[in-house]
Each structure stands twice: as structure tokens, then as C-alpha cells.
Amino acid sequence: MSITLRSPLSPDEVSARMKAQTNSAWVLFHNRPLVGWVRPGEMRVRKVILLRNSFQKSLSATFEGDGAGTLIRCRFSILPHVLTFLAVFLFGFAGMVLYPVMGAVQGTPVTDTSPYVMGGGVLLLGVVLAMIGSWLARDDERFLTDFVVRATEAAVVG
């Protein structure tokens, strides 16, 4: 999902205000509501939560000067390293299931069903954890949008 906001502040002021509300991911104890990074013209942040949730939504945004203010173009997604992990997980699952199939194709019948049982169990566990994580992160987009709107005095554009 993506959304565009318009702030009456300059891009530098928008960056400064968001940076003031954001802790680095390397900080041990978070005393600000957001964690991530803010650079001139862009940011990637997420809400600080007590526990870790890989399926937590993050906000990637760019700041563009627009006459008397700033356009803040926001995009919500899960973190890129989580997407990489999911790809590796699915390829591992496919390999676990295809191993006995390849043996059967080569003429070595596989009578052991444990790879299928283990593969199905791993896939089921992954799906359940993804559903729980997504449910726990269901309000993150609204929280992050409202936070940016308040911090930068912005309004939603169209």
C-alpha cells in the first residue's frame, strides 16, 4: 500500500522532525516511538514494539520539495531481509519435498514419507507464524501514517 502526504514544512524540516522521533536499530533501549533511519530526502521506519515481529510493517518514504511544502510519498511493506528469508525458506521447503521425487524419477523408489511429513509440518508452521505476525501488525500502517501526519503537520493527498 502507498499513500502521499503534503506537509507545509520544508524537506529538511520534515527530515529533522522525523529524525528526532527515530532511534537507530542498534540502540539497546528505545526511548523514541520509531526505530529505523532517516536521511535527507528519505526514511525507513517502523513502530517500536516490546517483542520482535518479523511481519511488522515498515514505512519507506521519500521527501520531495513541492512549492511551499513537501510531498511525502509513503510505501508500506515488511522489511526486505524478511522477504529474503521467506524466499530461502520456500526454496528449502521445495528442496525438501523434491528430493524424494527426484529419487523416484531416477529409478530409486522412495518408501520413506518423513520428508513429506517434515516438509508439510515446516510449511504449516511457517504459514501459522506468518498469519499470527500479520494479525499482530494489522494496525501498523494506520499508526505510522497518523504519526507522520502529526509530526510533520501533513495532510493526506487524494
Side-chain angles (χ1 to χ4, degrees), residues 33-94:
L34 302 177
V35 63
W37 51 264
V38 180
R39 299 179 189 139
E42 64 181 340
M43 73 175 172
R44 173 172 284 147
V45 296
R46 66 182 187 275
K47 182 169 94 171
V48 172
I49 58 175
L50 180 62
L51 301 173
R52 187 74 176 118
N53 178 4
S54 294
F55 293 93
Q56 181 181 14
K57 297 285 192 298
S58 71
L59 165 68
S60 299
T62 58
F63 315 133
E64 303 170 12
D66 180 46
T70 302
L71 279 179
I72 306 169
R73 299 188 191 281
C74 305
R75 190 172 49 87
F76 301 94
S77 65
I78 60 177
L79 295 171
H81 66 272
V82 174
L83 292 174
T84 303
F85 171 78
L86 287 174
V88 170
F89 177 83
L90 289 174
F91 280 120
F93 170 74

Coordinates of all heavy atoms in Angstrom, one line a residue, residues 33-94:
P33 N 9.4 6.7 19.7 CA 8.4 5.8 19.2 C 8.7 5.0 17.9 O 8.0 4.0 17.6 CB 7.2 6.7 19.0 CG 7.8 8.1 18.9 CD 9.1 8.1 19.6
L34 N 9.7 5.4 17.2 CA 10.0 4.8 15.9 C 11.5 4.3 15.9 O 12.3 4.8 16.6 CB 9.9 5.8 14.7 CG 8.5 6.4 14.5 CD1 8.6 7.4 13.4 CD2 7.5 5.3 14.3
V35 N 11.7 3.2 15.2 CA 13.1 2.7 15.0 C 13.3 2.6 13.5 O 12.4 2.2 12.7 CB 13.3 1.3 15.7 CG1 12.4 0.3 15.2 CG2 14.7 0.9 15.7
G36 N 14.6 2.9 13.1 CA 14.9 2.8 11.7 C 16.0 3.8 11.4 O 16.9 4.1 12.2
W37 N 15.9 4.5 10.2 CA 16.8 5.5 9.8 C 16.1 6.6 9.0 O 15.1 6.4 8.4 CB 18.0 5.0 9.0 CG 17.6 4.1 7.8 CD1 17.5 2.7 7.8 CD2 17.2 4.5 6.5 NE1 17.1 2.3 6.6 CE2 17.0 3.4 5.8 CE3 17.1 5.8 5.9 CZ2 16.6 3.4 4.4 CZ3 16.7 5.8 4.6 CH2 16.5 4.6 3.8
V38 N 16.6 7.8 9.2 CA 16.1 9.0 8.5 C 17.3 9.7 7.9 O 18.2 10.0 8.6 CB 15.3 9.9 9.4 CG1 14.8 11.1 8.6 CG2 14.2 9.2 10.1
R39 N 17.3 9.9 6.6 CA 18.3 10.6 5.8 C 17.7 11.8 5.1 O 16.5 11.8 5.0 CB 19.0 9.7 4.8 CG 19.7 8.5 5.4 CD 20.3 7.6 4.3 NE 20.7 6.3 4.8 CZ 20.6 5.2 4.3 NH1 20.0 5.1 3.1 NH2 21.0 4.1 4.8
P40 N 18.5 12.7 4.7 CA 17.9 13.8 3.9 C 17.2 13.3 2.7 O 17.7 12.6 1.9 CB 19.1 14.7 3.5 CG 20.1 14.4 4.6 CD 19.9 12.9 4.9
G41 N 15.9 13.5 2.6 CA 15.1 13.1 1.5 C 14.5 11.7 1.5 O 13.7 11.3 0.7
E42 N 14.8 10.9 2.6 CA 14.2 9.6 2.6 C 14.3 9.0 4.1 O 15.0 9.5 4.9 CB 14.9 8.6 1.7 CG 16.4 8.4 2.0 CD 17.1 7.5 1.0 OE1 16.4 6.7 0.3 OE2 18.3 7.5 1.0
M43 N 13.5 8.0 4.3 CA 13.5 7.3 5.6 C 12.9 5.9 5.5 O 12.2 5.6 4.5 CB 12.7 8.1 6.7 CG 11.2 8.1 6.5 SD 10.4 8.9 7.9 CE 8.7 8.9 7.3
R44 N 13.3 5.0 6.4 CA 12.6 3.7 6.6 C 12.5 3.6 8.1 O 13.5 3.5 8.8 CB 13.4 2.6 6.0 CG 12.7 1.2 6.3 CD 13.2 0.1 5.7 NE 12.8 0.0 4.3 CZ 13.5 -0.4 3.3 NH1 14.6 -0.9 3.5 NH2 13.0 -0.4 2.1
V45 N 11.2 3.5 8.6 CA 11.0 3.4 10.0 C 9.9 2.3 10.3 O 9.1 2.0 9.4 CB 10.6 4.7 10.6 CG1 11.7 5.8 10.5 CG2 9.3 5.3 9.9
R46 N 9.9 1.9 11.5 CA 8.8 1.0 12.0 C 8.5 1.4 13.4 O 9.3 2.0 14.1 CB 9.1 -0.5 11.8 CG 10.3 -0.9 12.6 CD 10.6 -2.4 12.3 NE 11.6 -2.9 13.3 CZ 12.9 -2.8 13.2 NH1 13.4 -2.2 12.1 NH2 13.7 -3.3 14.1
K47 N 7.4 0.9 13.9 CA 6.9 1.2 15.2 C 7.8 0.4 16.2 O 8.1 -0.8 16.0 CB 5.4 0.8 15.3 CG 4.8 1.1 16.7 CD 3.3 0.9 16.6 CE 2.9 -0.5 16.9 NZ 1.4 -0.6 17.1
V48 N 8.1 1.0 17.4 CA 8.8 0.2 18.4 C 7.8 -0.6 19.1 O 6.7 -0.1 19.5 CB 9.5 1.2 19.4 CG1 10.0 0.5 20.6 CG2 10.6 2.0 18.7
I49 N 8.1 -1.9 19.2 CA 7.2 -2.8 20.0 C 8.0 -3.6 21.0 O 9.3 -3.6 20.9 CB 6.5 -3.8 19.0 CG1 7.5 -4.6 18.2 CG2 5.5 -3.1 18.1 CD1 6.8 -5.7 17.3
L50 N 7.4 -4.2 22.0 CA 8.1 -4.8 23.1 C 8.8 -6.1 22.6 O 10.0 -6.3 22.9 CB 7.1 -5.2 24.2 CG 7.7 -5.9 25.4 CD1 8.7 -5.0 26.1 CD2 6.6 -6.3 26.3
L51 N 8.2 -6.9 21.8 CA 8.8 -8.1 21.2 C 9.1 -7.9 19.8 O 8.8 -6.9 19.1 CB 7.9 -9.3 21.5 CG 7.5 -9.5 22.9 CD1 6.4 -10.6 23.0 CD2 8.7 -9.9 23.7
R52 N 9.7 -8.9 19.2 CA 10.1 -8.9 17.8 C 9.0 -9.5 16.9 O 8.4 -10.5 17.3 CB 11.4 -9.6 17.6 CG 12.0 -9.5 16.2 CD 12.6 -8.1 16.0 NE 13.2 -8.1 14.7 CZ 12.8 -7.3 13.7 NH1 11.9 -6.4 13.9 NH2 13.4 -7.3 12.6
N53 N 8.6 -8.9 15.8 CA 7.6 -9.4 14.9 C 8.2 -9.2 13.5 O 8.2 -8.1 13.0 CB 6.3 -8.7 15.1 CG 5.3 -9.2 14.1 OD1 5.5 -10.1 13.3 ND2 4.1 -8.6 14.1
S54 N 8.6 -10.3 12.9 CA 9.2 -10.2 11.5 C 8.2 -9.6 10.5 O 8.6 -9.1 9.5 CB 9.7 -11.5 11.1 OG 10.8 -11.9 11.9
F55 N 6.9 -9.8 10.7 CA 5.9 -9.4 9.8 C 5.4 -8.0 10.1 O 4.4 -7.6 9.6 CB 4.8 -10.4 9.7 CG 5.3 -11.7 9.1 CD1 5.8 -12.7 9.9 CD2 5.4 -11.9 7.7 CE1 6.3 -13.9 9.3 CE2 5.9 -13.0 7.2 CZ 6.3 -14.0 8.0
Q56 N 6.1 -7.3 11.0 CA 5.7 -5.9 11.3 C 5.9 -5.1 10.0 O 6.8 -5.2 9.3 CB 6.6 -5.4 12.4 CG 6.4 -4.0 12.9 CD 7.3 -3.6 14.0 OE1 8.4 -4.3 14.2 NE2 7.0 -2.5 14.6
K57 N 5.0 -4.1 9.8 CA 5.0 -3.3 8.7 C 6.1 -2.2 8.9 O 6.2 -1.6 10.0 CB 3.7 -2.6 8.4 CG 2.6 -3.5 8.1 CD 2.7 -4.0 6.7 CE 1.5 -4.8 6.2 NZ 1.1 -5.9 6.8
S58 N 6.8 -1.8 7.8 CA 7.7 -0.7 7.9 C 7.2 0.3 6.9 O 6.5 0.0 5.9 CB 9.2 -1.1 7.6 OG 9.3 -1.5 6.2
L59 N 7.6 1.6 7.1 CA 7.3 2.7 6.3 C 8.5 3.2 5.6 O 9.5 3.6 6.2 CB 6.7 3.8 7.1 CG 6.6 5.2 6.5 CD1 5.5 5.2 5.3 CD2 6.2 6.2 7.5
S60 N 8.5 3.1 4.3 CA 9.6 3.7 3.4 C 9.0 5.0 2.8 O 7.9 4.9 2.3 CB 10.0 2.8 2.3 OG 10.5 1.6 2.9
A61 N 9.7 6.1 2.9 CA 9.2 7.4 2.4 C 10.3 8.2 1.8 O 11.5 8.1 2.2 CB 8.5 8.2 3.6
T62 N 9.9 9.0 0.8 CA 10.8 10.0 0.2 C 10.1 11.4 0.5 O 8.9 11.5 0.5 CB 11.0 9.7 -1.3 OG1 9.7 9.8 -1.9 CG2 11.6 8.4 -1.5
F63 N 11.0 12.4 0.6 CA 10.6 13.7 0.8 C 11.0 14.5 -0.4 O 12.1 14.6 -0.8 CB 11.2 14.3 2.0 CG 11.2 13.4 3.3 CD1 12.4 13.3 4.0 CD2 10.1 12.8 3.7 CE1 12.4 12.5 5.1 CE2 10.1 12.0 4.8 CZ 11.2 11.8 5.5
E64 N 10.0 15.2 -1.1 CA 10.2 16.0 -2.3 C 9.7 17.4 -2.0 O 8.5 17.5 -1.6 CB 9.6 15.4 -3.5 CG 9.9 14.0 -3.8 CD 9.0 13.4 -4.9 OE1 8.3 14.1 -5.5 OE2 9.1 12.1 -5.0
G65 N 10.5 18.4 -2.3 CA 10.0 19.8 -2.2 C 8.9 20.0 -3.2 O 8.9 19.5 -4.3
D66 N 7.8 20.7 -2.8 CA 6.7 20.9 -3.6 C 6.2 22.4 -3.3 O 5.3 22.6 -2.5 CB 5.6 19.9 -3.2 CG 4.3 20.1 -4.1 OD1 4.4 20.3 -5.3 OD2 3.2 20.1 -3.5
G67 N 6.8 23.3 -4.0 CA 6.4 24.7 -3.8 C 6.6 25.2 -2.4 O 7.8 25.3 -2.0
A68 N 5.6 25.4 -1.6 CA 5.7 25.9 -0.3 C 5.8 24.8 0.8 O 5.7 25.1 1.9 CB 4.5 26.8 0.0
G69 N 6.0 23.6 0.4 CA 6.0 22.5 1.3 C 6.7 21.3 0.8 O 7.7 21.4 0.0
T70 N 6.3 20.1 1.3 CA 7.0 18.9 1.0 C 5.9 17.8 0.7 O 4.9 17.7 1.4 CB 7.8 18.4 2.2 OG1 8.8 19.4 2.5 CG2 8.5 17.1 1.9
L71 N 6.2 17.0 -0.4 CA 5.4 15.8 -0.6 C 6.1 14.7 0.0 O 7.3 14.5 -0.2 CB 5.2 15.6 -2.1 CG 4.2 16.3 -2.9 CD1 4.2 16.0 -4.4 CD2 2.8 16.1 -2.3
I72 N 5.4 13.9 0.8 CA 5.9 12.7 1.5 C 5.3 11.5 0.9 O 4.1 11.3 1.1 CB 5.7 12.8 3.0 CG1 6.2 14.1 3.6 CG2 6.3 11.6 3.7 CD1 5.7 14.3 5.0
R73 N 6.0 10.8 0.1 CA 5.5 9.6 -0.6 C 5.8 8.4 0.2 O 7.0 8.0 0.4 CB 6.1 9.5 -2.0 CG 5.7 10.6 -2.9 CD 6.1 10.4 -4.3 NE 6.0 11.6 -5.1 CZ 4.9 12.1 -5.6 NH1 3.7 11.5 -5.4 NH2 4.9 13.3 -6.3
C74 N 4.8 7.7 0.8 CA 5.0 6.6 1.8 C 4.6 5.3 1.1 O 3.6 5.2 0.4 CB 4.1 6.9 3.0 SG 4.3 8.4 3.8
R75 N 5.4 4.3 1.4 CA 5.1 2.9 1.0 C 5.2 2.0 2.2 O 6.2 2.1 2.9 CB 6.0 2.5 -0.2 CG 5.6 1.3 -0.8 CD 6.5 1.0 -2.1 NE 7.9 1.2 -1.8 CZ 8.7 0.2 -1.4 NH1 8.2 -1.0 -1.2 NH2 10.0 0.4 -1.2
F76 N 4.3 1.1 2.4 CA 4.3 0.2 3.5 C 4.6 -1.2 3.0 O 4.1 -1.7 2.0 CB 2.9 0.1 4.2 CG 2.5 1.5 4.7 CD1 1.7 2.3 4.0 CD2 3.0 1.9 5.9 CE1 1.4 3.6 4.4 CE2 2.6 3.2 6.4 CZ 1.8 4.0 5.7
S77 N 5.5 -1.9 3.7 CA 5.8 -3.3 3.4 C 6.5 -4.0 4.6 O 6.8 -3.3 5.6 CB 6.8 -3.4 2.2 OG 8.0 -2.8 2.5
I78 N 6.7 -5.3 4.5 CA 7.6 -5.9 5.5 C 9.0 -5.6 5.1 O 9.3 -5.3 4.0 CB 7.2 -7.4 5.7 CG1 7.5 -8.2 4.4 CG2 5.8 -7.6 6.2 CD1 7.2 -9.7 4.6
L79 N 9.9 -5.8 6.1 CA 11.3 -5.5 5.8 C 11.9 -6.4 4.7 O 11.6 -7.5 4.6 CB 12.1 -5.6 7.1 CG 11.7 -4.6 8.2 CD1 12.3 -5.0 9.5 CD2 12.0 -3.2 7.8
P80 N 12.8 -5.8 3.9 CA 13.4 -6.6 2.8 C 14.2 -7.8 3.3 O 14.1 -8.9 2.6 CB 14.4 -5.6 2.2 CG 14.0 -4.2 2.6 CD 13.3 -4.4 4.0
H81 N 14.8 -7.8 4.4 CA 15.5 -9.1 4.8 C 14.5 -10.2 5.2 O 14.8 -11.3 5.1 CB 16.5 -8.8 6.0 CG 15.9 -8.4 7.3 ND1 15.6 -7.0 7.5 CD2 15.4 -9.1 8.3 CE1 15.0 -6.9 8.7 NE2 14.9 -8.2 9.2
V82 N 13.3 -9.8 5.6 CA 12.3 -10.8 5.9 C 11.8 -11.4 4.6 O 11.6 -12.7 4.5 CB 11.1 -10.2 6.6 CG1 10.0 -11.2 6.8 CG2 11.6 -9.7 8.0
L83 N 11.7 -10.6 3.5 CA 11.3 -11.2 2.2 C 12.4 -12.1 1.7 O 12.1 -13.2 1.1 CB 11.1 -10.1 1.2 CG 9.9 -9.2 1.5 CD1 9.9 -8.0 0.5 CD2 8.6 -10.0 1.3
T84 N 13.7 -11.8 1.9 CA 14.8 -12.7 1.5 C 14.7 -14.0 2.3 O 14.8 -15.1 1.7 CB 16.1 -12.0 1.8 OG1 16.1 -10.8 1.1 CG2 17.3 -12.9 1.4
F85 N 14.4 -13.9 3.6 CA 14.3 -15.1 4.4 C 13.1 -16.0 3.9 O 13.3 -17.2 3.8 CB 14.1 -14.8 5.9 CG 13.7 -16.0 6.7 CD1 14.7 -16.9 7.1 CD2 12.4 -16.2 7.1 CE1 14.4 -18.0 7.8 CE2 12.1 -17.4 7.8 CZ 13.1 -18.3 8.2
L86 N 12.0 -15.4 3.6 CA 10.9 -16.1 3.1 C 11.2 -16.9 1.8 O 10.8 -18.0 1.6 CB 9.7 -15.2 2.8 CG 9.0 -14.7 4.1 CD1 7.9 -13.7 3.8 CD2 8.4 -15.9 4.9
A87 N 12.0 -16.2 0.9 CA 12.4 -16.9 -0.4 C 13.3 -18.1 -0.1 O 13.1 -19.2 -0.6 CB 13.1 -15.9 -1.3
V88 N 14.2 -17.9 0.8 CA 15.1 -19.0 1.2 C 14.3 -20.1 1.8 O 14.5 -21.3 1.6 CB 16.3 -18.5 2.1 CG1 17.0 -19.7 2.7 CG2 17.2 -17.6 1.4
F89 N 13.4 -19.8 2.7 CA 12.5 -20.8 3.4 C 11.7 -21.6 2.4 O 11.7 -22.8 2.4 CB 11.6 -20.0 4.3 CG 10.6 -20.9 5.0 CD1 10.9 -21.6 6.2 CD2 9.3 -21.1 4.6 CE1 10.0 -22.4 6.9 CE2 8.4 -21.9 5.2 CZ 8.8 -22.5 6.4
L90 N 11.1 -20.9 1.4 CA 10.3 -21.6 0.4 C 11.2 -22.5 -0.5 O 10.8 -23.6 -0.9 CB 9.5 -20.6 -0.4 CG 8.3 -20.0 0.3 CD1 7.7 -18.9 -0.5 CD2 7.3 -21.0 0.8
F91 N 12.4 -22.0 -0.9 CA 13.3 -22.9 -1.7 C 13.7 -24.1 -0.9 O 13.9 -25.2 -1.4 CB 14.5 -22.1 -2.2 CG 14.2 -21.2 -3.4 CD1 14.3 -19.9 -3.4 CD2 13.7 -21.8 -4.6 CE1 14.0 -19.1 -4.5 CE2 13.4 -21.0 -5.7 CZ 13.6 -19.7 -5.6
G92 N 14.0 -23.9 0.4 CA 14.4 -25.0 1.2 C 13.2 -26.0 1.3 O 13.5 -27.2 1.3
F93 N 12.0 -25.5 1.5 CA 10.8 -26.4 1.5 C 10.7 -27.2 0.2 O 10.5 -28.4 0.2 CB 9.6 -25.6 1.8 CG 8.3 -26.4 1.6 CD1 7.9 -27.3 2.5 CD2 7.5 -26.2 0.5 CE1 6.8 -28.1 2.3 CE2 6.4 -26.9 0.3 CZ 6.0 -27.9 1.2
A94 N 10.9 -26.5 -0.9 CA 10.7 -27.1 -2.2 C 11.8 -28.2 -2.4 O 11.6 -29.3 -2.9 CB 10.9 -26.1 -3.3

